């Protein structure tokens, strides 16, 4: 999503159901890839009937769940995200008790009337035809299985549910502020992910998502005048019956399914020469200036997609949809919901950001709740580069804003490590600066550490090896290590797992002797520019000893600096006029006042 945040729910609806009988077993060989990596698999089949008069819908869901883990599973959990939009929910209370709430949420949830709240009520649930007991606890359905699921086994869950679309508060909902009827994200009972770290049945408090990879087959029945866009591929023309149309979508190899619908949508398509069809859904009632912007956006979205294809890896699906909806911008499978009344720069910027999320978080499906900086930070990094590539006025450092944001955070006294769960930041602004800015600096600065070509190759290799999986934070660092043969664990540990800062300074310059000092705790290799009194300059490179290697450089490579030694001295060749540490400013030094010495 685009920066801004928040929150959710409680309200305990207890439902419970009797159990037992032996389910039949379907045993499949487990789907392991190399290095003993495994991930669970889901196949959803859903039939949804929407009533646009009261925004209530009925759903039937068949879920074939394959346990590729080496573990026996006794419980499963479903997310019931819409229950967040009820007074007293965790999202509601958190938003009313944090000191800097997301203005989109504020106290709005607490004021929702019964016909305005969101809910998903599960009416029935069976495992291989046998009833199981379950309980709705806020935004999570806790399910006690009638029969454990063995490693390699597939089971079928059949569920019936009733739901109500909330008035648009955050991301999803009805009648958003621009009048889009239905923004349907996080709208169905969604199985929580189980991986080698166990269950991730996070309550929906404010942020981000994690899901199980699989295939979706969804039939959406809605009044015939509604135009529907979203995840997946439409299977033929919608069928019609008594004033309603059924839109049948299939979406292979995704971990979520989102849609939006409005009777006033214009639907434009833009066919990329060697790529997917781009779809654009926006309201015909928009003012002319906005309609013009949505037309202009189409060819530029193709340019953005080409940029990401080239710099990360190829988009693997046959369509992508940019849809007016939601409450700002949020990324989904094969689609995004963005608000549409924007200046052209803003419309293009939000599209660049959300489209970039297709790579960072959708295809490289890191756990957004736990590792928010891997999706927001890497997305900020690559989308800033893409916007710069499309811009007529190129910036020398398209990430300079991210550096400023991170350095301000580091000096603010409220920084928490990037390993903080996205819901557990004390301040929304600290979350934002950490996830978006520091996360972006993580990749930009990796180029300073290992060299830009190595960093660019790392990103492409990381994508190739981890697409359609759930990479962990260290996977990109191991990728960089394999490409460079450097040791880089220190970079990950200090920058992501701690709030240690980078601060190097020039302690003294006497004659030709230059002494540097390490003031911050975080280690870094040092690029140094020396200007001699005769006006010539020379670049030096001081390798970090624990990195066990030197980046490719044209600078003069001098002795290693061992981290524990607080100072480092060497002699330049001629009388020195001035010295500067990291003139590129790609190292996130939190105090640059001591980086420059002039005689
Ligand atoms: Zn984002």
């Amino acid at each position: 999503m685009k920066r801004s945040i928040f929150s959710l729910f409680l309200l305990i609806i207890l439902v419970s159901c009797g159990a037992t009988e032996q389910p039949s077993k379907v045993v499949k060989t487990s789907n392991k890839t190399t290095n003993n990596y495994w991930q669970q698999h889901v196949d959803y089949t859903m039939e949804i009937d929407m009533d646009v008069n009261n925004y209530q819908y009925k759903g039937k869901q068949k879920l074939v769940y394959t346990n590729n883990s080496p573990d026996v599973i006794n419980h499963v959990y479903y997310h019931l995200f819409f229950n967040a939009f009820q007074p007293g929910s965790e999202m509601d209370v958190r938003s009313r008790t944090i000191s800097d709430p997301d203005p989109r949420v504020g106290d709005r949830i607490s004021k929702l009337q019964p016909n305005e709240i969101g809910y998903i009520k599960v009416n029935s649930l069976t495992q291989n035809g046998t009833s199981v007991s379950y309980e709705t606890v806020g935004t999570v359905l806790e399910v006690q299985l009638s029969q454990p699921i063995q490693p390699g086994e597939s089971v079928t869950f059949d569920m019936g549910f009733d739901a109500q679309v909330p008035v648009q508060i955050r991301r999803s909902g009805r009648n958003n502020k621009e009048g889009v009827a239905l923004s349907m994200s996080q709208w169905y009972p969604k199985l929580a992910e189980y991986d080698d770290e166990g269950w991730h049945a996070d309550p929906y408090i404010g942020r981000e998502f994690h899901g199980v990879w699989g295939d979706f087959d969804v039939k959406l029945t809605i009044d015939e005048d509604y135009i529907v866009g979203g995840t997946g591929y439409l299977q033929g023309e919608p069928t019609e019956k008594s004033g309603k149309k059924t839109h049948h979508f299939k979406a292979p190899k995704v971990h979520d399914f989102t849609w939006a619908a409005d009777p006033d949508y214009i639907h434009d398509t833009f066919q990329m020469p060697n790529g997917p069809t781009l779809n654009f859904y926006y309201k015909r009632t928009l003012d002319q200036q906005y309609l013009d912007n949505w037309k202009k956006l189409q060819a530029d979205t193709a340019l953005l997609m080409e940029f990401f294809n080239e710099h990360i890896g190829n988009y693997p699906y046959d369509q992508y949809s940019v849809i007016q909806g939601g409450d700002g911008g949020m990324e989904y499978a094969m689609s995004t919901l963005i608000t549409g009344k924007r200046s052209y720069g803003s419309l293009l910027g939000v599209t660049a950001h959300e489209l970039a999320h297709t790579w960072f978080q959708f295809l490289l499906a890191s756990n957004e709740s736990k590792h928010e900086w891997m999706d927001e930070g890497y997305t900020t990094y690559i989308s800033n580069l893409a916007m710069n590539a499309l811009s007529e006025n190129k910036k020398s450092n398209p990430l300079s804003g991210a550096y400023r944001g991170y350095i301000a955070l580091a000096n603010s006294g409220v920084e928490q490590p990037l390993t903080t769960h996205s819901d557990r930041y004390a301040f929304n602004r600290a979350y934002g600066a950490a996830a978006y800015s520091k996360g972006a600096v993580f990749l930009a600065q990796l180029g300073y550490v290992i060299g830009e070509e190595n960093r660019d190759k790392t990103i492409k290799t990381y994508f190739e090896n981890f697409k359609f999986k759930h990479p962990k934070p260290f996977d990109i660092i191991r990728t960089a290590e394999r490409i460079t043969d450097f040791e880089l664990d220190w970079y990950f540990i200090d920058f992501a797992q701690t709030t240690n800062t980078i601060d190097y300074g020039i302690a003294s310059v006497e004659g030709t002797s230059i002494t540097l000092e390490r003031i911050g705790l975080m280690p870094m290799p040092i690029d140094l520019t020396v200007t001699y009194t005769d006006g010539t300059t020379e670049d030096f490179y001081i390798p970090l000893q624990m990195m066990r290697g030197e980046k490719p450089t044209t600078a003069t490579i001098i002795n290693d600096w061992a981290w524990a030694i607080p100072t480092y001295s060497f002699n330049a060749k001629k009388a020195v006029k001035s010295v500067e540490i990291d003139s590129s400013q790609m190292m996130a030094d939190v105090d640059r006042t001591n980086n420059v010495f002039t005689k």
Side-chain angles (χ1 to χ4, degrees):
M1 60 169 207
K2 197 76 181 162
R3 191 178 295 216
S4 195
I5 335 286
F6 247 91
S7 291
L8 177 39
F9 103 96
L10 188 51
L11 226 241
I12 304 205
I13 304 160
L14 283 172
V15 194
S16 194
C17 215
T20 66
E21 241 182 271
Q22 297 293 319
S24 62
K25 271 187 199 171
V26 181
V27 180
K28 272 193 195 170
T29 50
S30 75
N31 198 16
K32 285 182 182 177
T33 60
T34 52
N35 303 324
N36 295 321
Y37 175 84
W38 53 266
Q39 64 191 20
Q40 305 296 68
H41 184 86
V42 286
D43 293 300
Y44 286 95
T45 307
M46 291 192 275
E47 290 179 21
I48 306 300
D49 190 3
M50 173 66 73
D51 183 342
V52 296
N53 298 309
N54 58 12
Y55 298 99
Q56 292 177 357
Y57 56 105
K58 293 184 184 305
K60 274 193 248 170
Q61 183 190 79
K62 178 191 288 293
L63 170 59
V64 179
Y65 181 49
T66 303
N67 177 17
N68 291 317
S69 84
D71 307 324
V72 175
I73 289 176
N74 297 310
H75 298 88
V76 298
Y77 302 91
Y78 289 77
H79 298 282
L80 305 175
F81 293 113
F82 273 4
N83 291 357
F85 303 101
Q86 300 173 2
S89 72
E90 281 195 82
M91 182 183 275
D92 174 34
V93 175
R94 180 65 174 152
S95 180
R96 287 186 286 121
T97 51
I98 195 166
S99 64
D100 60 339
D102 184 327
R104 286 172 292 196
V105 183
D107 64 354
R108 291 176 64 212
I109 297 173
S110 70
K111 295 175 175 165
L112 292 175
Q113 298 303 307
N115 65 349
E116 297 174 329
I117 64 168
Y119 62 73
I120 298 177
K121 291 177 182 167
V122 176
N123 298 324
S124 62
L125 181 60
T126 62
Q127 173 189 354
N128 292 338
T130 302
S131 292
V132 294
S133 59
Y134 55 88
E135 183 180 352
T136 298
V137 181
T139 50
V140 174
L141 186 77
E142 301 176 353
V143 181
Q144 171 68 52
L145 298 176
S146 59
Q147 182 82 7
I149 309 172
Q150 300 299 319
E153 184 185 359
S154 294
V155 298
T156 301
F157 294 108
D158 280 292
M159 182 191 282
F161 63 94
D162 290 331
Q164 179 167 287
V165 185
V167 165
Q168 177 98 23
I169 301 281
R170 191 68 188 93
R171 301 192 180 96
S172 314
R174 70 208 213 204
N175 303 321
N176 82 347
K177 67 179 181 187
E178 296 182 348
V180 174
L182 288 164
S183 300
M184 297 294 286
S185 57
Q186 297 91 36
W187 59 276
Y188 61 95
K190 179 177 175 179
L191 196 76
E193 181 61 300
Y194 180 84
D195 62 21
D196 62 354
E197 296 175 347
W199 281 104
H200 299 285
D202 294 34
Y204 187 23
I205 295 171
R207 299 194 180 96
E208 314 306 340
F209 307 96
H210 191 45
V212 190
W213 281 103
D215 299 332
F216 285 68
D217 182 312
V218 182
K219 287 178 178 153
L220 301 169
T221 300
I222 189 167
D223 289 44
E224 61 186 352
D225 57 337
Y226 278 65
I227 293 155
V228 180
T231 305
Y233 312 125
L234 193 60
Q235 305 295 300
E237 282 301 304
T239 54
E240 228 174 314
K241 197 179 166 189
S242 46
K244 283 188 161 184
K245 277 185 183 170
T246 298
H247 306 253
H248 183 194
F249 290 92
K250 285 188 180 181
K253 293 184 86 170
V254 292
H255 52 81
D256 200 10
F257 188 98
T258 294
W259 57 286
D262 193 279
D264 291 329
Y265 273 151
I266 294 171
H267 176 199
D268 290 338
T269 60
F270 186 100
Q271 182 59 49
M272 290 183 61
N274 300 309
T277 305
L278 304 178
N279 294 284
F280 298 85
Y281 297 87
Y282 53 103
K283 284 181 75 93
R284 64 182 74 252
T285 51
L286 283 170
D287 289 348
Q288 191 59 45
Q289 53 169 326
Y290 301 129
L291 292 173
D292 293 345
N293 288 345
W294 276 82
K295 290 284 181 205
K296 189 178 171 195
L297 178 66
Q298 300 174 17
D300 280 348
T301 303
L303 295 176
L304 290 168
M305 181 151 298
E306 282 170 10
F307 184 92
F308 300 136
N309 283 342
E310 185 187 337
H311 291 89
I312 317 174
N314 283 334
Y315 183 82
Y317 304 112
D318 294 334
Q319 74 99 355
Y320 184 82
S321 296
V322 182
I323 305 169
Q324 187 189 356
D327 63 357
M330 183 69 193
E331 67 277 12
Y332 300 107
M334 303 185 205
S335 62
T336 178
L337 301 184
I338 61 174
T339 46
K341 293 181 183 175
R342 294 169 177 271
S343 68
Y344 188 67
S346 170
L347 189 68
L348 183 63
V350 72
T351 303
H353 180 95
E354 307 310 340
L355 176 59
H357 271 303
T358 294
W359 285 262
F360 293 120
Q361 206 286 322
F362 205 83
L363 293 163
L364 294 158
S366 51
N367 183 336
E368 289 184 81
S369 302
K370 287 187 69 178
H371 312 302
E372 56 279 4
W373 58 284
M374 290 177 72
D375 68 300
E376 296 304 352
Y378 296 2
T379 290
T380 299
Y381 168 79
I382 204 75
S383 61
N384 283 19
L385 295 189
M387 285 293 285
N388 200 48
L390 263 62
S391 168
E392 282 169 13
N393 306 311
K394 307 269 187 261
K395 296 177 186 167
S396 61
N397 177 9
L399 275 304
S400 58
Y403 277 80
R404 281 195 302 277
Y406 159 61
I407 289 168
L409 173 71
N411 291 323
S412 71
V414 299
E415 186 185 6
Q416 291 174 252
L418 290 180
T419 47
T420 306
H421 187 286
S422 59
D423 284 328
R424 246 85 79 203
Y425 281 85
F427 300 95
N428 278 324
R429 65 178 190 276
Y431 158 82
Y436 291 77
S437 298
K438 193 177 186 185
V441 170
F442 185 92
L443 274 191
Q445 184 175 250
L446 184 63
Y448 170 86
V449 173
I450 67 175
E452 291 184 3
E453 277 183 32
N454 283 332
R455 186 265 324 276
D456 295 349
K457 193 173 170 193
T458 295
I459 291 171
K460 290 185 193 178
T461 307
Y462 171 64
F463 176 76
E464 214 35 54
N465 291 343
F466 293 96
K467 63 186 175 185
F468 299 111
K469 295 183 186 173
H470 292 305
K472 302 275 178 66
F474 205 60
D475 289 325
I476 197 163
I477 289 298
R478 281 296 291 138
T479 303
E481 287 189 339
R482 290 190 186 101
I483 284 169
T484 61
D485 264 340
F486 303 157
E487 179 172 342
L488 298 167
D489 55 350
W490 58 272
Y491 182 64
F492 173 73
I493 291 166
D494 279 73
F495 209 59
Q497 297 185 320
T498 77
T499 54
N500 289 348
T501 54
I502 302 161
D503 185 11
Y504 282 86
I506 298 158
S508 65
V509 178
E510 285 164 28
T512 59
S513 174
I514 297 170
T515 299
L516 309 183
E517 59 183 331
R518 178 182 56 73
I519 302 155
L521 281 169
M522 178 157 174
M524 283 297 268
I526 297 298
D527 287 351
L528 196 72
T529 304
V530 174
T531 304
Y532 297 117
T533 51
D534 64 8
T536 59
T537 63
E538 182 171 8
D539 292 327
F540 292 90
Y541 174 60
I542 306 170
L544 175 68
Q545 197 170 83
M546 67 174 74
M547 192 169 130
R548 312 294 163 198
E550 295 108 35
K551 71 175 169 184
T553 178
T554 55
T556 306
I557 301 174
I558 50 181
N559 286 339
D560 291 353
W561 188 343
W563 170 82
I565 316 298
T567 60
Y568 177 100
S569 297
F570 77 105
N571 282 306
K573 289 163 193 151
K574 297 182 271 189
V576 173
K577 184 173 143 201
S578 66
V579 181
E580 182 171 9
I581 294 172
D582 179 32
S583 58
S584 72
Q585 302 196 20
M586 294 305 284
M587 181 175 86
D589 192 311
V590 298
D591 178 11
R592 284 196 58 86
T593 61
N594 54 22
N595 284 33
V596 182
F597 172 92
T598 306
K599 253 200 167 135

